[in-house]
Amino acid sequence: MVKKWWMESVGYQIYPKSFKDSNNDGIGDLNGIYEKLDYLKDLGVNLIWICPFYDSPMDDNGYDVRNFFDVAKEFGTMDDVKKLILKAHEYGIKIILDFVLNHTSDEHPWFIESKSSKDNPYRDYYIWHEGTIVDGVKREPTNWGSFFGGSAWNYDETTESYYMKIFSNKMPDLNWSNEKVHQEMIDVANTWLDLGIDGFRIDAVSHLDRAPFEDTASNGEKYPLDWYKFSNLPKVHDYLKKLNKEVFSKRNCLTIGEVGGAASIEEGIKYASYESNELSMVFNFDHNWCNNMYDITNSKKLKVHVKDLKKVFNNWQEAFKDIGWLPLNWLNHDQPRLASHYGNYKYPLQSTKMLATALHMMRGTPFIYQGEEIGMTNYPFEDVSEFNDISSKANYHYHLEKEPDNPVKAIKKAGLRSRDNARTPMQWTNESPYAGFSDTKPWLAVNPNYKKINVEKNLNDPNSLFHHYQKLIELRTKSIYKDVIVYGSYKIIDLEHEELYIYLRKNKDHTLLIINSFSQKKVKYSLSNYEILDQLISNYPKTTLKNDDIVLKPFESIVFKVKEKL
Ligand code: GLC
Ligand code: CA
């Protein structure tokens, strides 16, 4: 059996800009993370993933890197990073950083050189094209759309050429068919590993290879977003095998690739099976689309597609069971808040505890996104001026263009999935007006529900969501069930059940039965196949067992130690 340190970890993702502001300039920072390491230790996590804090003009909050070897001044200094690594390691907490290798900022010295002339030595660090002439008029080389709206190309007057950029204009794509780029990025990775970090979450990694530059089919849109033109193409695997051979395999480091929405399970296996020699695991997003959030404008009518959700989790669990490892996460800094996405507004505490249990008892490495452990929710956006995120603004304008008379609908639509939902400042206390995040008006507004939802309140309430997460983490990292939760087999029960997600985890010592109800009503379920030996965790004070049946209350979730009856 393959065993690695990260398989026994529980991760926590930090978006530094929103976590904790230590010097009251309204922006979260590295010293803020340092201050809160005790909190993370208390929660019990032993791995943190910190989103980019490198020097950047912040067009995309740091994913647009200007200098890979320095820290953005609003986040702190190199010494702050070293101090943070040291203390985290003292606490038994490992650290992984975002490795952004698909693009740089347009203010990166390589790009400034690259755009200056066609024969500059850095020209081939990026993807340049003269453009296409259509009816005597010069236009973009292809009609491909970018993730943040508009074309995947941007025109630069200096050399009268287009450069490729699948995110924003200020994020030119690196040219991975140039081997010099490989060496540069190998240096970046080695430098941070030498500093003592424990691995990387690798940003946008599936996009490093591009299809031939030909137009894609359009259903009327000027710049259709066709993922297949720049996702999971063959050479990505060559590049990753090289990075693995020259860097990752020489260190005992964890690498998690963000493989985006277009990666199927088969693709996932190519990146992250034990035999692929590429990445330790990949984040996929299949479970993020299992409700009707795209079709509605009122969050109260949200409907979770339970069976779809179960199938997604089950398919990945099954496919990787003998051949690889998976991260387990509900959301990240690009997704809506869990409480608003899959939680239930009538049963916020029970439903979020249930969702936590359902995920944390699976096989894989759980990742909690900051604020998830206290039940933070989406923000009630009412005006486009409340958005900071570049893609939320673009989305708003996209919807408004379709229905120019309906700005309210446009804001609702863009608001529901806005990445800013996950980026509002962490709610530490009920202190007015900035929830203990800062004394100064933060860069993004605090969610007005901070008096009801905050860390302090969670810490003071033994029945809180925080304490539920703490217990789940303890079960996985310290309890006598540690081995079965980490390395045990996984098997779904009743795949077709409309409301219950039930699975078994098993090793030679223990069998655990995990039952999760996604229903607002009571659901009866027969346990006649099991002898119940113990109860590990649940989200109600009392379990209702009647003869061989369990009667589950709304969103009830329970983990039993059982013996299967033959
Ligand atoms: C990834 C990040 C996202 C960022 C994008 C470009 O998808 O998660 O936040 O905007 O890459 O770097
Ligand atoms: Ca600050």
Side-chain angles (χ1 to χ4, degrees):
M1 183 187 284
V2 180
K3 290 193 175 183
K4 300 275 186 192
W5 64 262
W6 54 82
M7 297 177 173
E8 297 173 22
S9 302
V10 178
Y12 187 94
Q13 184 193 346
I14 294 178
Y15 198 69
K17 209 171 172 183
S18 311
F19 193 58
K20 171 71 183 148
D21 176 15
S22 71
N23 61 348
N24 294 311
D25 63 353
I27 301 171
D29 44 53
L30 291 168
N31 284 332
I33 303 175
Y34 184 88
E35 275 176 28
K36 293 297 180 187
L37 280 176
D38 285 301
Y39 169 73
L40 297 175
K41 190 170 168 231
D42 184 26
L43 177 60
V45 297
N46 48 18
L47 169 66
I48 52 181
W49 154 24
I50 311 177
C51 286
F53 50 71
Y54 314 105
D55 172 48
S56 160
M58 300 288 164
D59 189 52
D60 189 22
N61 288 335
Y63 280 95
D64 47 322
V65 181
R66 184 166 46 201
N67 182 350
F68 290 103
F69 304 105
D70 204 357
V71 177
K73 55 182 179 329
E74 51 271 66
F75 289 147
T77 63
M78 256 344 235
D79 282 342
D80 296 337
V81 183
K82 291 181 193 156
K83 203 173 87 183
L84 180 63
I85 298 175
L86 212 68
K87 172 114 174 254
H89 283 172
E90 233 175 79
Y91 278 12
I93 299 176
K94 293 200 166 15
I95 297 187
I96 61 172
L97 303 184
D98 248 285
F99 184 19
V100 188
L101 40 63
N102 176 71
H103 45 266
T104 67
S105 161
D106 65 340
E107 297 180 29
H108 193 289
W110 300 337
F111 189 73
I112 294 174
E113 290 287 332
S114 182
K115 73 173 190 181
S116 67
S117 75
K118 288 186 179 171
D119 52 14
N120 185 283
Y122 286 91
R123 186 66 172 180
D124 281 345
Y125 272 46
Y126 296 86
I127 305 167
W128 291 98
H129 196 291
E130 310 255 306
T132 311
I133 310 285
V134 180
D135 298 331
V137 183
K138 180 154 141 171
R139 68 134 164 97
E140 295 87 1
T142 67
N143 66 346
W144 305 353
S146 81
F147 290 118
F148 294 168
S151 170
W153 299 92
N154 194 40
Y155 187 66
D156 189 72
E157 285 191 347
T158 327
T159 55
E160 298 179 334
S161 308
Y162 293 88
Y163 61 87
M164 192 167 197
K165 51 97 205 170
I166 60 174
F167 293 97
S168 86
N169 285 348
K170 283 186 68 60
M171 298 157 84
D173 289 342
L174 284 164
N175 175 16
W176 273 79
S177 59
N178 178 355
E179 298 211 341
K180 284 192 196 142
V181 169
H182 303 179
Q183 203 47 53
E184 301 276 12
M185 296 321 277
I186 287 172
D187 285 351
V188 172
N190 277 327
T191 303
W192 286 97
L193 289 165
D194 288 344
L195 207 77
I197 64 145
D198 304 286
F200 298 106
R201 178 264 190 181
I202 309 183
D203 185 63
V205 73
S206 57
H207 306 309
L208 307 181
D209 186 17
R210 321 290 152 124
F213 296 151
E214 287 157 12
D215 277 0
T216 184
S218 168
N219 52 0
E221 306 214 8
K222 189 171 178 199
Y223 301 116
L225 174 58
D226 179 355
W227 286 70
Y228 295 94
K229 297 291 182 205
F230 37 75
S231 303
N232 309 307
L233 293 166
K235 281 195 219 129
V236 176
H237 297 287
D238 302 339
Y239 304 147
L240 285 175
K241 284 189 173 35
K242 180 167 175 188
L243 286 175
N244 183 289
K245 185 162 168 256
E246 304 211 358
V247 185
F248 308 149
S249 65
K250 295 185 181 161
R251 322 255 187 162
N252 188 16
C253 72
L254 162 62
T255 52
I256 317 181
E258 182 205 25
V259 298
S264 61
I265 292 181
E266 292 68 38
E267 287 296 337
I269 292 172
K270 282 193 215 157
Y271 288 106
S273 81
Y274 297 139
E275 279 166 12
S276 58
N277 294 320
E278 294 184 23
L279 302 167
S280 321
M281 38 179 152
V282 288
F283 279 121
N284 83 84
F285 295 87
D286 291 358
H287 60 281
N288 287 107
W289 324 111
C290 299
N291 62 18
N292 57 344
M293 200 172 245
Y294 264 135
D295 318 321
I296 55 168
T297 51
N298 180 346
S299 60
K300 288 189 178 155
K301 286 188 221 127
L302 206 64
K303 185 160 171 33
V304 181
H305 302 149
V306 181
K307 261 167 83 172
D308 291 354
L309 198 56
K310 284 169 62 173
K311 285 187 178 161
V312 165
F313 282 128
N314 192 56
N315 290 344
W316 282 87
Q317 288 280 315
E318 279 294 328
F320 275 75
K321 69 178 171 197
D322 299 317
I323 60 161
W325 197 254
L326 293 169
L328 305 168
N329 72 318
W330 276 114
L331 76 155
N332 67 12
H333 61 293
D334 298 327
Q335 298 295 328
R337 285 280 175 187
L338 177 60
S340 307
H341 198 52
Y342 290 132
N344 185 280
Y345 75 101
K346 279 197 206 154
Y347 297 93
L349 185 62
Q350 288 87 349
S351 63
T352 47
K353 283 185 177 178
M354 180 278 288
L355 293 165
T357 302
L359 191 84
H360 280 243
M361 296 305 292
M362 286 184 217
R363 178 177 171 274
T365 301
F367 278 84
I368 298 160
Y369 178 73
Q370 66 182 43
E372 174 189 338
E373 76 282 16
I374 57 164
M376 280 177 65
T377 68
N378 278 0
Y379 186 90
F381 294 105
E382 283 177 353
D383 193 88
V384 62
S385 63
E386 293 168 317
F387 288 143
N388 166 274
D389 167 33
I390 180 168
S391 76
S392 306
K393 290 179 197 163
N395 231 333
Y396 169 80
H397 291 292
Y398 172 85
H399 291 301
L400 193 63
E401 228 165 77
K402 289 197 161 168
E403 280 183 67
D405 300 334
N406 209 339
V408 175
K409 190 166 167 192
I411 193 79
K412 281 263 179 202
K413 281 225 161 211
L416 273 178
R417 284 210 64 91
S418 169
R419 307 197 301 175
D420 282 334
N421 287 306
R423 300 175 182 187
T424 61
M426 184 75 179
Q427 295 160 210
W428 292 103
T429 65
N430 65 4
E431 212 178 305
S432 291
Y434 307 127
F437 167 74
S438 176
D439 286 353
T440 312
K441 190 170 185 231
W443 66 280
L444 187 66
V446 174
N447 194 309
N449 64 17
Y450 70 92
K451 297 242 177 228
K452 224 172 68 201
I453 300 173
N454 60 63
V455 168
E456 198 175 43
K457 201 169 158 203
N458 266 262
L459 291 177
N460 291 333
D461 173 5
N463 190 36
S464 69
L465 184 58
F466 174 91
H467 287 110
H468 189 80
Y469 272 91
Q470 193 182 44
K471 175 105 195 263
L472 285 168
I473 298 167
E474 194 209 294
L475 281 170
R476 176 178 279 268
T477 55
K478 297 203 181 93
S479 77
I480 54 163
Y481 300 108
K482 182 181 154 167
D483 246 45
V484 62
I485 296 172
V486 175
Y487 294 113
S489 68
Y490 158 99
K491 192 176 131 221
I492 197 163
I493 310 288
D494 263 326
L495 177 61
E496 298 300 328
H497 199 293
E498 306 273 346
E499 290 156 320
L500 303 183
Y501 182 15
I502 307 177
Y503 56 89
L504 281 174
R505 300 294 313 279
K506 235 195 235 190
N507 69 1
K508 61 178 189 348
D509 301 321
H510 305 290
T511 302
L512 305 181
L513 177 68
I514 296 97
I515 307 177
N516 303 289
S517 173
F518 281 76
S519 176
Q520 300 200 36
K521 303 204 185 95
K522 285 189 182 171
V523 182
K524 197 158 106 180
Y525 188 77
S526 167
L527 294 177
S528 61
N529 292 337
Y530 310 96
E531 184 188 332
I532 293 173
L533 304 177
D534 200 359
Q535 181 173 318
L536 276 59
I537 189 168
S538 75
N539 60 349
Y540 278 91
K542 262 171 84 185
T543 311
T544 316
L545 292 166
K546 275 191 196 149
N547 305 324
D548 272 345
D549 294 334
I550 182 168
V551 183
L552 296 155
K553 293 176 266 303
F555 301 99
E556 185 160 354
S557 155
I558 185 152
V559 179
F560 290 121
K561 175 182 173 183
V562 298
K563 194 169 156 201
E564 287 173 281
K565 291 186 193 162
L566 296 173

